[in-house]
Amino acid sequence: NFTVDQAISTAASLQISGATTLGANVTATGGVSLLSAVTLGSSVTVDAGASPIVFSSTVTGSAAGAGLTTTGPITLGGDVVTNNGALTFNGAVTIGTDLTINSGTAATTFGSTIDSAADGGTLFRSLTVNAGALSFGGAIGGQFSLGALSLTSATGFALPAVTATSIFARSTAGDLTLNGVLTASDGGAAVTLAAANAFINNAGAGA
């Protein structure tokens, strides 16, 4: 096992093969690859600039409130679950396998797009996100469609354009706002939207 207990800053790439505990910030502008399970010992930042970040396995927040902020396009290869620690993905997110992202009562923020891995469009990765608050900065499935998408927030949130086999979005408090067209490839009741308060459609009648 490898523990990062002091900040790392390098212009080179960083790859760690074994299970890793992140207790300090990591900056590696040549890219970051963590190939085994990651434990968040505190709230940390992983910054690769414009280079790729790869988390090949799960990310777990062991300490209460321990969260993760990433800068750079990131590929997720396992569940990301914190103990009420905030999650912020500032770059484009690629879903490499069916997975769950859960930040408990804390916010999860996506600063850019979310897509399935580029596999010729034959594998649609399913994504479940549960958070105290949700924010999206780009389309979901706009380049490579997701499979089943489930989004639940304890506060109101806005949906961007979404392409997935099925779409479930729920705010357990607050409004649910539609800012983009929803495209679901499964037949039947493939889209479910549930708002605790108002449903606001900014995308027009064709959405």
Side-chain angles (χ1 to χ4, degrees):
N1 293 2
F2 186 82
T3 298
V4 178
D5 54 10
Q6 294 185 355
I8 296 173
S9 182
T10 178
S13 61
L14 176 67
Q15 178 174 300
I16 302 174
S17 298
T20 303
T21 298
L22 291 179
N25 296 338
V26 173
T27 300
T29 54
V32 177
S33 296
L34 301 179
L35 304 182
S36 298
V38 172
T39 300
L40 303 175
S42 62
S43 289
V44 297
T45 296
V46 177
D47 186 351
S51 297
I53 300 170
V54 177
F55 285 80
S56 295
S57 186
T58 57
V59 178
T60 304
S62 59
L68 174 67
T69 298
T70 64
T71 298
I74 186 169
T75 298
L76 297 175
D79 294 343
V80 181
V81 179
T82 70
N83 184 2
N84 301 319
L87 294 169
T88 300
F89 304 99
N90 287 315
V93 175
T94 298
I95 306 301
T97 188
D98 297 344
L99 60 86
T100 294
I101 296 173
N102 191 335
S103 58
T105 59
T108 293
T109 301
F110 298 93
S112 186
T113 56
I114 305 171
D115 285 285
S116 289
D119 52 20
T122 59
L123 295 176
F124 305 116
R125 303 302 188 186
S126 295
L127 174 64
T128 298
V129 184
N130 297 289
L134 277 174
S135 178
F136 299 94
I140 301 174
Q143 183 176 16
F144 296 101
S145 174
L146 269 63
L149 175 67
S150 176
L151 306 171
T152 301
S153 173
T155 58
F157 68 99
L159 272 174
V162 178
T163 302
T165 57
S166 64
I167 302 165
F168 174 88
R170 178 179 64 165
S171 63
T172 59
D175 302 334
L176 183 61
T177 302
L178 181 60
N179 285 338
V181 175
L182 305 182
T183 304
S185 59
D186 277 357
V191 177
T192 302
L193 304 177
N197 292 341
F199 174 71
I200 303 168
N201 183 5
N202 293 332

